[in-house]
Amino acid sequence: MTDTSTGPVTSQRLAVDVWLDVACPFCALGDKRLENVRAALPFGEDIDVTYHSYQLDPAAPAHGEPGTATQKLVARGMDPRQIEASHRHLTEQGHAEGFRFSFEDSVPSNTFDAHRFLQAARAEGVQQPVLDTLFRAYFSDGVDVGDLALLRDRAVEAGLSAELADQIVADADAFRSEVEADIAQAAAYGIQGVPFFVIDGRYGISGAQPSEAFEQALTQVYTEINAK
C-alpha cells in the first residue's frame, strides 16, 4: 500500500493587532482578558498578538502629580459619583482577571515615552511582558511613566535588553517614528477609542469586551482560516 501522506498539517497562525494606551484602564482590562482567553484556548499558541501605540491624551504633561487622575476627570466635566462607580467596577473586573487597579495612586503623566519602550519591546519579541509591567506601573504601583529612568528599569526587568533601553533613555527620537506610525494607522482605520482589536486584519472589536466575546471571535476566525 502506498503512503500518500504529506507529513504533519501546519495550522495557519492567527494575527491579532491591538491598539491601546498605557493610561487606559479599559485597555489594561481588555488585554488581560485577551491574554487569559488566549492561554485557555487549545490553539492559543497559534495566536500572534502585536501591540500598537495610541494616546488618549497626547497633550498630557510629561510628569503628572500623584493622585490627581480623578481630579483631571472631574475638571473635564465628569460626575465624581460616576467616576467612583466606574473605578469600583473596573477594580472588581480587574481582580477577576488577576489585575490590581489602584486608581488613587495613578500619576497622570504623558505616555509617549512608555510607548517608545513598547515599540522597542516589539523589536525584541518581549512586548507582552513589557506591556504587563507598564500597565502595573501606571495602574497598580503609582509609577510616573514619564520618568525615563523608572521606565528603563521596569522594562529591563520585564525582558528588554539593557542596551536598547539605554538607547531610548539617551535618544528622545529612538522609536519615535514607530509610535507615530501606529497613531497614524489608527487614524486611517478610523479608530477613535481604545482598546481596539483587529483580528486577522479583517475583524474589529472595540472596547474591553467580555471574555466570551474574545473566545467566540478568536475561535470563529481561527476556524475560518484553517478551513481553507
Side-chain angles (χ1 to χ4, degrees):
M1 183 174 181
T2 303
D3 183 0
T4 59
S5 65
T6 58
V9 176
T10 301
S11 298
Q12 292 291 323
R13 301 189 65 79
L14 178 59
V16 179
D17 293 276
V18 187
W19 272 262
L20 48 75
D21 192 8
V22 172
C24 166
F26 297 99
C27 297
L29 178 60
D31 177 61
K32 197 63 180 178
R33 283 177 174 164
L34 174 64
E35 185 181 344
N36 289 340
V37 167
R38 178 188 177 195
L41 287 171
F43 55 88
E45 292 186 356
D46 290 336
I47 301 175
D48 298 316
V49 181
T50 301
Y51 296 102
H52 299 274
S53 300
Y54 187 96
Q55 281 198 288
L56 290 172
D57 186 8
H63 302 285
E65 292 295 324
T68 61
T70 297
Q71 296 175 23
K72 288 187 66 175
L73 294 175
V74 172
R76 293 176 184 172
M78 294 187 65
D79 186 333
R81 290 171 298 180
Q82 290 182 340
I83 296 172
E84 182 181 357
S86 176
H87 285 177
R88 184 168 57 250
H89 178 71
L90 282 164
T91 299
E92 293 170 354
Q93 295 296 308
H95 180 74
E97 300 296 337
F99 186 83
R100 180 175 66 87
F101 284 107
S102 182
F103 290 102
E104 64 274 13
D105 297 324
S106 296
V107 182
S109 302
N110 197 292
T111 60
F112 193 90
D113 284 330
H115 281 293
R116 292 200 294 132
F117 279 92
L118 185 61
Q119 295 289 343
R122 178 181 179 181
E124 293 193 331
V126 291
Q127 265 200 315
Q128 183 69 67
V130 169
L131 177 63
D132 283 346
T133 200
L134 291 174
F135 276 142
R136 288 197 306 273
Y138 191 94
F139 286 112
S140 303
D141 303 334
V143 170
D144 178 0
V145 297
D147 188 320
L148 282 170
L150 292 177
L151 285 174
R152 183 258 181 214
D153 291 346
R154 288 283 183 128
V156 170
E157 288 177 6
L160 187 68
S161 69
E163 179 182 8
L164 203 52
D166 289 338
Q167 178 185 340
I168 296 171
V169 173
D171 182 3
D173 289 327
F175 293 95
R176 175 178 292 274
S177 62
E178 287 85 348
V179 176
E180 292 173 343
D182 272 357
I183 294 172
Q185 183 64 68
Y189 278 158
I191 297 173
Q192 297 181 334
V194 287
F196 195 88
F197 306 82
V198 178
I199 302 176
D200 194 40
R202 299 178 291 160
Y203 303 99
I205 297 177
S206 179
Q209 297 293 325
S211 299
E212 294 78 11
F214 284 119
E215 181 179 359
Q216 179 180 359
L218 294 171
T219 301
Q220 177 182 333
V221 180
Y222 183 79
T223 301
E224 286 178 5
I225 64 176
N226 281 287
K228 298 177 181 178

